[in-house]
Amino acid sequence: MELEETPTPVDPEVRAYVYSLVSALGGTGTDEDGRYVLGDDALACLKDLKRWLKFYDEKANRLDVARCLAEANLVEGDLLEILGAWPEGATEDKVRGKIALACLELLVPLTWPIEKNDTQLTVNHHRHIPYIQLAQASYKRAMLERQSKTVLRTAVRIGLPSIAIPMGERTARDEGIIKIILYLFRNISIICTAGESKESPTSRSATIEAFHHQDVLALVLTICSNMGEDFDTQDVVILEVLFHLLKGVGVEKLFMDESQLKKNGSNELGALLAKEKNMHRSYAKHAPSRHNRFGTMIWVKRDEPGRVSTVSGQYGLTDQQQTFSKMDQSKKWNKPKQRSRDIEKVNDRFDVPVSLTNNATTHLRLFVEEFLDSSFNPLFNHIRRAIEREADRVLECHGPQFFYLISWFLEAERVRRRKKQEAEKKRKNNKIAEIFEADSFSLIASVLTQETFVLLNRFIQDRLDMKVWHDVNAGTRCFTQILLIIQEMADSPLEEDQEIAENIQNRIFYEESTHDRILAILRGYKDQGFGYLDSCTELSHVFLRMLERYSREKVDLQIRSKRRARKKKKAAAVQRGDADTNDDVAVSEVEDVAEAERVSKERKFDFNRFALKFATQACIDTFIKFTKFYNDLNTEQLKRAHRFFYRVAFKQEISVILFRVDYFLLFNHMIKGPDPLDRASPVYGEWEELVRQLIKRMTKKMKERPELAVEMLFSKIPSTVFFLEHGYEKQTISSRPRAPATLEVKGAMAKEEQISVAVAVLHEQQLDAIDWVVKILLTAASERQCWETAAAAKRAEHDSSIDHAEPDSKAPSIIVNPGSEERRIAIFKDAKLRLLMTLSGFERLGIDDEPNATWIIPSALSARQLHETQEVIQKYRDNPIMEYGEDEPIAADEMLRRKSTASARRVEYDDESEGDGIVSNGDDDFLFPAGGPTRTGPLTAAAALEHLKKKRRKRRTSTASDGGVGALDDETLERRWKAREAADLEKRKKIKSAEYVFDSEDDAEADRIFFESEESRRERQAKRVMEVLKAGMVDRKKKEKRKSDDKDDGPKQHSKKKQRIVESKSGSEGDGDLQFPVGYSSSPRIQELELGSQSGKEDTPPSTPHEVFAQEKILRDISPNIRTTEDDGASNKIPIQAAAGGEVDDEDGRDEPVLLPSRRRQRVALMFESDSE
């Protein structure tokens, strides 16, 4: 019977080829005293092995060659022997150098970590991966434990010639050599075995010690400090080396000296022993003894008839509570755990703590201090730029590694500063401490820039949206350490550090999106692990504490909030599925920036309002889950949870939300057990007092609100919390929706053209609305036609029986039926649809802001008119006109504007109607309506005739200058029309309408005081006027003499000749110049008034309209026959009767207005009392 051959894991032919190459590479012999001897073609064999790995394993996605090399012991038996045998002084041996480099080219792929998810694994991978991982651990152990301790130093020697070449002169081969060396160090730092102790040969401590003794850490420091100057693409490899060396290392322990480490170790041992003692104490209460060894099982009757539960153990016989607890444990439901989407790689986990030996701690501490002093800023600044520009060498795993290392080094800097300050205080050397304080923060300045904050916020938000919780954890740790560093800078005694900290805090707290992101991280915890739970609770605690402190210092703190109007608009357009959606939504970048600026607004920050957002059920559940680990939490973590519950219950006064049975059960276990907090803990007293106060408040509230007994079983929504706190439901006032602005078509267009514009605007996105209007018009026309036919028949019957028919009754109005809720909302909110309905003759009943207002088709519209309107809409619906104008076409949207209404005039604009696409028509919306002519009296026949003649002469002159009527072209007419529009607009701006002036409430006492004051003021004014008149009598003779001289010089005037009045042409509104005809000089009072301003030497107009009114009133009191006029754009000639000469009759003996020849303007200067003070 033949035995069946077991299948081999590797193809025998492949194995034969690989084994032959390994044998030809070289080996040890007795002739050479056990030394390793290279074969004749050792370099060619190494190159062939490299080709097998590349073209068989990598190309075919297999691991056969790597398995064969592991079985052949190539690394330990050949490669390490070759590298260890190369003496340090043999630098001129080129062949040895090439062979050593070929050995490194094989070591890198053989030690490369295998990271594949379940979807990428094949049968070949499952067969070889466990064996290869064990082989890699043996490779690392062999390199670290080798007796010569020269393997890693030899690798450094191989790369030194390439490193010494300046970056601009290096070739691609030199860059490749440097990368191979760094990747070898990266692979060694990654390789680890599960469950290894700090003393194991492949542990982190062994790696750090080997890197220190063989100058690997010195090489890393050299490259990091010169990053950006002599090195460029090696930054991400160095980042991985640092990450795998530092992940999980405790910073506090790293900066302890030997005495502190011993003391800390003893404290930890004491804490563990105390915890074990407490466990034994709680177990001893119910532990079995020699008297109760016999088994016991009892039945417990339940409330349901015929149902029992079984409980085993004798403690169920003595203690009823223990019996029920045993029952609860037996019926506990273990919820099945769903597979997490966030598949975290084992090598990227940084939450697992790692312990180091004393020697490794010392070496690593020295390396970290030198790195902070010389290499932190160049390395992280260079990597940040590479991540921002998305360089090809930057992988997805580098983002979380970058932010985790920032958080780790920032914490190390904080601890180092604190330890340095404590040491300086012990030595009482404050001067050295001050120097250290002044220079310390500049060492980490590269991660405190605005660019880093922007990158960090974007990274956290992106990973939060994609629910990559491992990356969110790294980002939150980094953000927390940045906040703590800023807090230390704010507490620094140097003013420069305080100013920098204040500036950074202002930038961080200014964005409301940052506040919302902190809330989302805390609320989003479900089952992401304790590391994520610890980081999110710490971030929320630090952020709240710093924001509260900063808001107290800055009372007028402003934050910027944004509304996503553009996104909502795009989403709505995409949801409608219009044909032209892409063209409408694809706006330019400039428009997007303008839109973002417009929707961003600042508002005053209220910390209490923001802190209330943390008092929600989701945030409390997160901290409750964190508190459940109270036996494993340190003092700082317990304080964090205590401060949160204290803030919610007592600062925010929302203790009701903590009144739940499971919450109080957890708090009771923490204080009274089982497994309570250690009474020697510094926070035990604080937790005990918190729980006592919560229970006290709960019992008091239970008496006030008996319904709380039921609500303690459930989570509480905000309305329930408000009711339990105040005893009544929260009153919410819903705001009424506002109707959009009423639109109209610009220009003087016919009704049909206006309908075409409205149809074109709706045609792009709301074609169904046009069809609905057409359907309503067709139905209404048919119904109105039936009514008109019936009315005509009734009228014919009435005419045949009665001679005088009664007036016809009106047709009943037709109610417009929206047909659906969406159409009703569109009728209320869509201003363009309302415009089309209004142009179609529809009328709305009710107020403007009534959403359910009824639209009707009025009785005045006949069936023929409805048919014509429907045909016009259908015509432009089929062939819409999208642009108007020939020279400069205007889109249909730009032909619309808001209709000017009295209620629309506001000092401040609001953006309730944003997004309508309507542009306001400038000043037209804010002009007062014309209130009619301002002339004081009617025109006489002669004045009207003269006005018409003057206008006709002006028209004739302008026509002649243009070359006749036929010479007027469209451009001239357009120019004249624009000039008339501008003049009319300028005139309307000057109108001060009385429609907006309202009488105040009647007050008799106030009126009496006012009129008495006015009467006394008039009396004083009359006295001053009389003094002026008396002073003018002195110069009367000089006036008469000058008048007689004027008569002798010029021709005499005929008594029958008509006199003229000098027209009043005031240049501006409110001009108080009073002009008089020269012929009134014979009147003594007028003559005295003229003396106040001779020859126009003091041509000073009154300063206020009140002074103008006072002058006109005095003149009316002096001469009732004199009237003043205001020029309102027309030549108003008002007849004035002569005061001295009486009436002047013409030849026919009829009274006619006398026109005097025009003379120089003369003004009256008056003195009066001003009450402006």
Side-chain angles (χ1 to χ4, degrees), residues 748-986:
M749 302 179 67
K751 183 177 179 181
E752 181 176 350
E753 294 178 344
Q754 295 183 21
I755 293 177
S756 68
V757 173
V759 171
V761 171
L762 291 171
H763 191 275
E764 296 180 358
Q765 298 180 359
Q766 303 182 32
L767 199 60
D768 56 340
I770 303 176
D771 297 336
W772 175 78
V773 174
V774 171
K775 180 180 177 181
I776 293 296
L777 289 173
L778 285 175
T779 306
S782 177
E783 184 177 346
R784 186 60 52 85
Q785 184 65 43
C786 295
W787 183 90
E788 290 177 356
T789 303
K794 291 182 180 180
R795 189 164 52 250
E797 294 178 0
H798 198 274
D799 292 342
S800 61
S801 59
I802 303 176
D803 295 338
H804 303 285
E806 295 180 357
D808 296 337
S809 60
K810 294 183 179 180
S813 300
I814 301 174
I815 299 177
V816 177
N817 183 17
S820 63
E821 182 66 18
E822 291 79 6
R823 185 66 60 200
R824 183 188 66 79
I825 297 175
I827 292 174
F828 175 72
K829 293 186 176 181
D830 194 344
K832 300 173 184 178
L833 177 58
R834 291 162 69 102
L835 174 63
L836 179 60
M837 295 173 66
T838 304
L839 293 175
S840 302
F842 295 11
E843 293 183 358
R844 179 179 44 80
L845 303 179
I847 61 177
D848 293 342
D849 294 338
E850 178 59 40
N852 298 321
T854 303
W855 286 75
I856 63 170
I857 298 177
S859 306
L861 294 180
S862 62
R864 181 180 58 81
Q865 293 174 334
L866 294 175
H867 274 297
E868 291 176 355
T869 304
Q870 179 266 328
E871 291 175 355
V872 171
I873 296 176
Q874 188 65 38
K875 169 186 173 183
Y876 292 108
R877 190 257 186 214
D878 298 335
N879 300 306
I881 302 176
M882 296 300 178
E883 294 182 348
Y884 293 85
E886 298 179 357
D887 297 337
E888 296 180 359
I890 301 177
D893 286 336
E894 299 179 1
M895 293 295 294
L896 300 182
R897 67 182 178 189
R898 295 180 182 177
K899 190 174 183 180
S900 177
T901 58
S903 60
R905 299 186 184 95
R906 292 177 292 225
V907 177
E908 296 181 357
Y909 299 90
D910 72 22
D911 38 344
E912 290 294 330
S913 57
E914 63 184 14
D916 292 341
I918 308 304
V919 180
S920 177
N921 195 26
D923 295 334
D924 291 350
D925 296 340
F926 301 95
L927 296 179
F928 290 100
T934 59
R935 60 178 63 92
T936 58
L939 289 175
T940 62
L945 181 61
E946 182 65 21
H947 177 67
L948 291 175
K949 288 180 180 179
K950 184 177 180 181
K951 193 173 183 180
R952 191 178 295 111
R953 286 195 301 270
K954 183 178 180 182
R955 187 184 301 112
R956 189 182 298 114
T957 304
S958 62
T959 304
S961 63
D962 293 337
V965 178
L968 295 178
D969 54 356
D970 294 339
E971 183 178 357
T972 304
L973 295 176
E974 180 69 19
R975 186 176 64 254
R976 290 184 176 181
W977 175 78
K978 290 183 178 179
R980 288 196 299 272
E981 287 290 328
D984 182 66
L985 178 62
E986 191 67 26

Side-chain angles (χ1 to χ4, degrees), residues 8 74 112 205 230 433 455-456 478 497 629 639 657 806 841 996 1003 1019 1062 1097 1139 1167:
T8 58
L74 172 70
W112 198 276
S205 300
D230 295 332
L455 179 63
L456 176 60
C478 180
D497 293 340
F629 297 94
K639 282 185 178 180
I657 201 170
E806 295 180 357
Y996 303 98
D1003 190 348
E1019 291 176 358
V1062 180
K1097 292 181 181 179
M1167 296 177 62

Side-chain angles (χ1 to χ4, degrees), residues 18 32 93 132 191 220 303 467 476 628 791 894 1037:
V18 172
E32 300 294 337
D93 192 349
I132 294 177
I191 296 174
V220 171
D303 295 338
K467 297 184 178 180
T476 53
K628 288 181 179 179
E894 299 179 1
K1037 294 182 179 181

Side-chain angles (χ1 to χ4, degrees), residues 175-399:
E175 296 289 345
I177 292 173
I178 298 174
K179 278 190 177 181
I180 287 175
I181 297 170
L182 294 179
Y183 274 120
L184 176 63
F185 299 153
R186 191 278 310 259
N187 296 343
I188 294 175
S189 62
I190 289 178
I191 296 174
C192 62
T193 56
E196 62 183 7
S197 63
K198 62 182 180 181
E199 302 294 343
S200 63
T202 58
S203 63
R204 188 80 58 83
S205 300
T207 305
I208 293 173
E209 291 183 16
F211 280 10
H212 172 73
H213 291 299
Q214 301 187 37
D215 300 332
V216 176
L217 295 181
L219 176 65
V220 171
L221 283 175
T222 302
I223 296 177
C224 291
S225 60
N226 294 277
M227 189 63 65
E229 298 178 359
D230 295 332
F231 304 95
D232 184 24
T233 59
Q234 295 81 12
D235 49 0
V236 293
V237 188
I238 292 292
L239 179 72
E240 294 186 41
V241 173
L242 293 176
F243 175 77
H244 294 292
L245 282 178
L246 300 176
K247 62 179 182 180
V249 177
V251 178
E252 290 286 346
K253 294 183 179 180
L254 186 65
F255 286 90
M256 292 181 181
D257 52 17
E258 291 189 12
S259 60
Q260 292 175 340
L261 283 175
K262 291 180 180 180
K263 183 178 179 181
N264 182 72
S266 61
N267 291 337
E268 289 182 353
L269 179 59
L272 291 175
L273 292 176
K275 183 181 294 186
E276 183 182 12
K277 186 177 180 180
N278 290 333
M279 292 175 58
H280 283 300
R281 185 185 298 112
S282 61
Y283 176 74
K285 293 181 180 179
H286 311 287
S289 63
R290 61 179 181 176
H291 300 291
N292 59 1
R293 295 176 183 174
F294 303 99
T296 302
M297 178 175 290
I298 59 175
W299 287 356
V300 181
K301 292 184 178 180
R302 298 170 58 178
D303 295 338
E304 298 86 350
R307 301 291 300 275
V308 294
S309 297
T310 58
V311 178
S312 61
Q314 292 186 359
Y315 54 82
L317 299 175
T318 58
D319 192 350
Q320 184 179 4
Q321 184 64 33
Q322 290 294 331
T323 304
F324 291 149
S325 299
K326 187 69 176 179
M327 290 176 57
D328 292 339
Q329 294 176 6
S330 62
K331 61 184 180 182
K332 183 179 179 181
W333 179 52
N334 294 323
K335 184 179 179 180
K337 295 182 180 180
Q338 297 181 356
R339 192 168 189 176
S340 176
R341 297 181 181 178
D342 185 18
I343 302 175
E344 182 182 354
K345 297 180 180 179
V346 178
N347 295 329
D348 291 338
R349 295 184 60 184
F350 48 77
D351 294 331
V352 180
V354 176
S355 58
L356 301 178
T357 61
N358 294 338
N359 291 334
T361 301
T362 303
H363 299 327
L364 186 60
R365 181 174 65 249
L366 295 176
F367 168 77
V368 170
E369 289 180 350
E370 293 181 5
F371 182 86
L372 287 171
D373 293 337
S374 62
S375 306
F376 182 86
N377 285 336
L379 177 64
F380 285 98
N381 192 27
H382 196 270
I383 296 176
R384 177 185 58 78
R385 293 177 181 176
I387 294 176
E388 286 178 345
R389 64 175 179 265
E390 297 180 356
D392 295 337
R393 65 181 182 274
V394 178
L395 304 179
E396 186 178 356
C397 63
H398 293 148

Side-chain angles (χ1 to χ4, degrees), residues 449-489:
T449 60
Q450 183 65 17
E451 292 81 2
T452 305
F453 298 149
V454 172
L455 179 63
L456 176 60
N457 288 327
R458 185 170 64 244
F459 175 80
I460 295 177
Q461 188 61 49
D462 291 344
R463 298 306 189 269
L464 193 63
D465 295 338
M466 295 186 294
K467 297 184 178 180
V468 184
W469 306 115
H470 172 262
D471 296 357
V472 176
N473 187 7
T476 53
R477 286 174 179 268
C478 180
F479 198 10
T480 303
Q481 294 302 324
I482 288 177
L483 291 177
L484 293 174
I485 283 289
I486 295 171
Q487 184 177 3
E488 291 192 2
M489 292 178 66

Side-chain angles (χ1 to χ4, degrees), residues 483-552:
L483 291 177
L484 293 174
I485 283 289
I486 295 171
Q487 184 177 3
E488 291 192 2
M489 292 178 66
D491 297 335
S492 174
L494 299 180
E495 294 183 0
E496 182 181 0
D497 293 340
Q498 295 177 5
E499 292 177 359
I500 295 174
E502 183 177 352
N503 186 19
I504 296 174
Q505 289 182 87
N506 189 21
R507 286 183 293 177
I508 291 177
F509 298 141
Y510 179 65
E511 296 292 341
E512 190 182 25
S513 58
T514 304
H515 306 180
D516 298 337
R517 191 176 299 113
I518 302 300
L519 272 170
I521 292 173
L522 185 63
R523 293 174 179 176
Y525 175 78
K526 292 188 182 299
D527 53 354
Q528 291 90 341
F530 180 78
Y532 180 89
L533 182 61
D534 183 30
S535 63
C536 71
T537 53
E538 183 181 11
L539 175 61
S540 61
H541 172 71
V542 174
F543 187 83
L544 264 178
R545 186 181 59 187
M546 291 187 60
L547 183 56
E548 182 179 15
R549 175 182 174 181
Y550 188 73
S551 62
R552 288 177 180 174

